[in-house]
Amino acid sequence: AASAPKPLPSSGPKSLREMPHPLATSSSEEMGPALTPSPDLLLPRSIADKDLSLPNGTPVDTSSPASSSSLLNRLQLDDDLDVETRDLFVTVDDPKKHVCTMETYITYRVTTKTTRAEFDLPEYSVRRRYQDFDWLKNKLEESQPTHLIPPLPEKFVVKGVVDRFSEEFVETRRKALDKFLKRITDHPVLSFNEHFNVFLTAKDLNAYKKQGMALLSKMGESVKYVTGGYKLRSRPLEFAAIGDYLDTFSLKLGTIDRIAQRIIKEQLEYLVELREYGPVYSTWGGLEVELSEPLEGVSACIGNCCTALEELSEDMTEDFLPVLREYILYAESMKNVLKKRDQVQAEYEAKLEAVALKREDRPKVPTDVEKCQDRVECFNADLKADMERWQNNKRQDFRQLLMGMADKNIQYYEKVCVT
């Protein structure tokens, strides 16, 4: 699952390559190469391909950064660079319970340290609740529709946890929220988003929430209201491969998640039996002096097994399951971005067909078709870059997770065998 997905044949009756360009009969002097369908729409490439340029040779600006220094920082914040080169650090800690007349909720301290010119101060400390994190995620999805937005932990209580104000649940959520912000911080485009800046620095976030959709980007609007019922002819091969990979990945990871939850449930049930089982031997030892020593030994051994099994179950609940859930949600987020990309491509195809039907001589390239092609190029470039970054993070996270769980299981059996 860690390797890049292999290109698979795409579905559909006709590829974009076979669609005649509406202005193909015009002279090359009038047209130029601007409306030649994008190579990214026609030819399968590796997900790691970094040759991002328009057909006329103009490099594609896929970031839409909020600051003038974003291009430089985009290179500086690459995942492979050392921590010393990074200039933005965010942590989530210190959860506090607030009891009000109408509701009870938890807030978390969000601490930011930075040397970026976009920030007025080198350090900020604000308190945020879960719905504030949800506001940030929605704003990022609206203003950066071409990028993969990290998933938030699910709002409702996870299966098996009754009290959402328990220390265990709050700590699990704190870790997930901390990882959510760190994912954004490490992203070379999302970390410069104006909404992210507001989230990290504003003392009163409610004032910004009331602005509603006022700051929605033009890209976001175009993605939200595009195709008009037009059906996409076919995905390019590499994006069809990504879609197939995500479907398989979600299916397999969902199976692992269900089995892991069942194992934990059975471990906890077994733990209850063990805790009742051990004291029986202690009671028995008190009745028969001759057998008291071996019986107390058995009781102590069962007690050690209880402790070891409890620790293993906690490790799986607190460390293993959250990573599985995060990547299941991550795959769904990637699928949503892929659907948005398909919508923009469908809009592009619809415009090409509309112009082809008119068959009018045009002295200039239709501006709306040019802009639509640029949006497709941006989507392709950003989606491939984010997919590559996601694959790298996934390999690192699962290597650390699986090796850690293997060590935990080894430690468990060592404790059980020693006893």
Side-chain angles (χ1 to χ4, degrees):
S3 60
K6 297 180 181 180
L8 299 175
S10 61
S11 59
K14 192 175 182 181
S15 69
L16 196 59
R17 177 194 290 275
E18 299 169 345
M19 183 187 299
H21 198 281
L23 302 181
T25 57
S26 301
S27 66
S28 59
E29 293 180 358
E30 293 176 348
M31 278 291 300
L35 272 182
T36 302
S38 162
D40 274 335
L41 289 175
L42 308 179
L43 301 177
R45 293 183 181 178
S46 168
I47 292 176
D49 191 352
K50 297 294 182 64
D51 182 16
L52 310 179
S53 61
L54 296 177
N56 61 8
T58 305
V60 177
D61 178 13
T62 61
S63 63
S64 302
S67 81
S68 59
S69 61
S70 293
L71 294 179
L72 176 61
N73 282 288
R74 184 167 187 166
L75 298 176
Q76 291 177 337
L77 288 177
D78 189 84
D79 291 338
D80 296 331
L81 298 183
D82 295 333
V83 174
E84 287 80 0
T85 63
R86 299 185 179 181
D87 52 9
L88 181 62
F89 299 88
V90 180
T91 58
V92 178
D93 59 9
D94 189 28
K96 288 185 178 180
K97 184 177 181 180
H98 301 261
V99 180
C100 303
T101 305
M102 300 298 295
E103 61 176 338
T104 300
Y105 59 93
I106 303 293
T107 64
Y108 304 85
R109 180 175 62 188
V110 178
T111 303
T112 304
K113 295 182 180 181
T114 182
T115 58
R116 290 187 181 181
E118 291 80 7
F119 292 85
D120 297 329
L121 301 174
E123 185 170 348
Y124 295 86
S125 180
V126 295
R127 298 203 70 84
R128 298 286 184 254
R129 55 188 297 185
Y130 180 88
Q131 66 180 28
D132 298 330
F133 287 85
D134 190 50
W135 171 85
L136 172 62
K137 179 177 180 293
N138 291 333
K139 283 298 181 182
L140 290 176
E141 289 176 344
E142 292 171 2
S143 58
Q144 306 282 177
T146 65
H147 285 287
L148 172 62
I149 310 302
L152 272 176
E154 293 160 305
K155 180 176 182 179
F156 300 103
V157 179
V158 296
K159 184 178 181 180
V161 179
V162 178
D163 184 8
R164 67 188 181 94
F165 298 111
S166 66
E167 292 184 6
E168 295 80 6
F169 178 77
V170 171
E171 176 60 16
T172 299
R173 171 164 285 185
R174 183 203 65 79
K175 290 179 180 178
L177 295 176
D178 182 74
K179 182 175 288 187
F180 169 73
L181 292 187
K182 281 181 169 56
R183 300 281 197 202
I184 299 174
T185 300
D186 292 340
H187 196 282
V189 178
L190 299 180
S191 62
F192 287 93
N193 185 276
E194 59 180 329
H195 302 297
F196 186 48
N197 186 305
V198 168
F199 177 87
L200 297 178
T201 61
K203 289 295 183 182
D204 181 15
L205 198 59
N206 291 327
Y208 293 91
K209 288 183 177 181
K210 293 177 181 178
Q211 295 180 12
M213 302 290 288
L215 297 178
L216 186 64
S217 68
K218 292 182 179 180
M219 174 68 81
E221 291 176 345
S222 64
V223 170
K224 192 171 183 180
Y225 308 104
V226 285
T227 58
Y230 183 90
K231 186 176 181 180
L232 181 68
R233 288 177 177 269
S234 65
R235 278 178 176 170
L237 295 181
E238 60 182 326
F239 296 111
I242 291 176
D244 293 341
Y245 170 81
L246 291 172
D247 289 339
T248 303
F249 178 77
S250 299
L251 179 63
K252 299 301 182 184
L253 212 59
T255 301
I256 294 175
D257 179 59
R258 289 192 299 272
I259 294 174
Q261 290 193 45
R262 187 166 66 245
I263 290 174
I264 293 174
K265 180 177 180 293
E266 293 174 354
Q267 285 178 340
L268 294 177
E269 292 174 350
Y270 177 51
L271 184 59
V272 171
E273 299 292 337
L274 278 181
R275 285 172 175 166
E276 296 178 358
Y277 188 49
V280 173
Y281 288 92
S282 297
T283 304
W284 186 7
L287 298 176
E288 300 194 39
V289 180
E290 298 83 359
L291 297 176
S292 62
E293 184 175 348
L295 291 174
E296 287 294 340
V298 173
S299 179
C301 178
I302 295 175
N304 289 335
C305 290
C306 288
T307 302
L309 183 58
E310 185 176 13
E311 291 175 355
L312 181 62
S313 298
E314 289 178 355
D315 290 331
M316 289 192 67
T317 302
E318 297 175 6
D319 298 330
F320 189 73
L321 289 182
V323 176
L324 296 182
R325 292 302 306 160
E326 181 195 15
Y327 273 92
I328 290 174
L329 295 174
Y330 236 137
E332 293 303 316
S333 297
M334 180 64 82
K335 290 179 184 179
N336 291 334
V337 179
L338 197 58
K339 290 178 181 178
K340 293 177 184 178
R341 194 217 73 86
D342 291 346
Q343 288 179 335
V344 175
Q345 182 184 334
E347 181 191 19
Y348 178 49
E349 292 178 359
K351 289 182 181 297
L352 285 179
E353 287 192 350
V355 175
L357 290 174
K358 292 180 180 179
R359 293 293 182 185
E360 297 177 357
D361 294 332
R362 296 172 178 268
K364 295 182 180 180
V365 176
T367 304
D368 59 337
V369 179
E370 266 192 327
K371 290 181 178 179
C372 189
Q373 182 183 0
D374 290 345
R375 288 199 296 272
V376 176
E377 295 286 351
C378 287
F379 249 112
N380 291 349
D382 290 347
L383 183 56
K384 288 191 292 184
D386 281 359
M387 183 66 179
E388 181 182 4
R389 181 178 294 104
W390 180 74
Q391 289 280 18
N392 290 335
N393 289 338
K394 178 172 64 66
R395 283 192 290 269
Q396 296 174 9
D397 290 344
F398 275 95
R399 183 184 298 113
Q400 180 180 359
L401 175 69
L402 297 176
M403 291 181 65
M405 289 309 301
D407 289 339
K408 295 294 185 182
N409 277 274
I410 291 172
Q411 294 171 13
Y412 165 74
Y413 285 108
E414 285 178 345
K415 293 176 183 178
V416 172
C417 291
V418 169
T419 57

